[in-house]
Amino acid sequence: MKKSHVLLVFIFLLLIPYLCSLTIIGIGYNALVLHSADIFRTLIGALVGAMVMFAIKATIQRPVDLLAVQTNDGLIKQLLRFFSIRRRYFLLIANIVLDFCLCLLATILVRNFLTLDSIVGTATGGVLLVMFISTCLGAYVEYDNLSIDPKQH
């Protein structure tokens, strides 16, 4: 697969949905938790968010592995490895810690940049729409290569 195709699939099928997932975690936390600015509650929310992100990464292992096999570019391979949970124990823990930090940042940014009305109202729908369109574009670009049809492999 050409480097440009791998990069497009990475951006639309992995990176944008990942950022949208972080935003949804921040929106959900701030919409559901009373006194969401409390540091202890924010840390617990980020921990729960990191576990959710770990579960999300478990569901995308096959496309990540297929993309990693099809590229020779070192930078893209390393970016794809970020989404992989089939790694050494130390790197797995580091990945969860990074997700924790990103979820913490997402909850704080959402709280500071969106109003409570938009957090409780339309923000989730907008983010889900972006995620849906991005996933559709990514799947369209390389559907055949990411198919789980056993006859193709």
Side-chain angles (χ1 to χ4, degrees):
M1 185 184 319
K2 288 193 267 181
K3 181 179 176 181
S4 61
H5 277 98
V6 172
L7 198 55
L8 280 175
V9 172
F10 172 76
I11 289 171
F12 288 115
L13 202 58
L14 299 173
L15 185 62
I16 292 174
Y18 180 79
L19 295 174
C20 288
S21 296
L22 286 170
T23 306
I24 289 171
I25 287 168
I27 291 169
Y29 167 78
N30 286 296
L32 296 173
V33 175
L34 188 61
H35 304 294
S36 62
D38 180 67
I39 190 66
F40 179 72
R41 290 179 184 185
T42 302
L43 291 173
I44 297 299
L47 180 63
V48 171
M51 295 300 118
V52 169
M53 294 307 290
F54 183 79
I56 290 171
K57 287 179 182 178
T59 64
I60 62 167
Q61 277 307 243
R62 180 148 172 84
V64 168
D65 292 343
L66 290 172
L67 281 174
V69 166
Q70 296 179 15
T71 185
N72 294 325
D73 187 271
L75 177 62
I76 293 176
K77 271 195 188 283
Q78 290 305 315
L79 288 173
L80 288 169
R81 290 191 72 196
F82 170 75
F83 290 93
S84 178
I85 60 170
R86 295 179 185 165
R87 298 169 24 179
R88 290 180 290 162
Y89 186 72
F90 171 75
L91 293 174
L92 187 63
I93 297 299
N95 196 304
I96 292 172
V97 168
L98 179 60
D99 281 340
F100 171 81
C101 294
L102 291 174
C103 287
L104 182 67
L105 183 63
T107 60
I108 293 168
L109 289 175
V110 164
R111 183 182 320 125
N112 289 330
F113 286 104
L114 297 178
T115 65
L116 185 57
D117 288 339
S118 66
I119 289 172
V120 176
T122 59
T124 301
V127 174
L128 285 174
L129 181 63
V130 169
M131 184 186 291
F132 177 74
I133 291 170
S134 174
T135 304
C136 288
L137 288 172
Y140 176 76
V141 170
E142 282 303 322
Y143 177 77
D144 292 335
N145 291 328
L146 299 176
S147 174
I148 58 172
D149 184 9
K151 295 176 186 173
Q152 289 185 349
H153 301 283

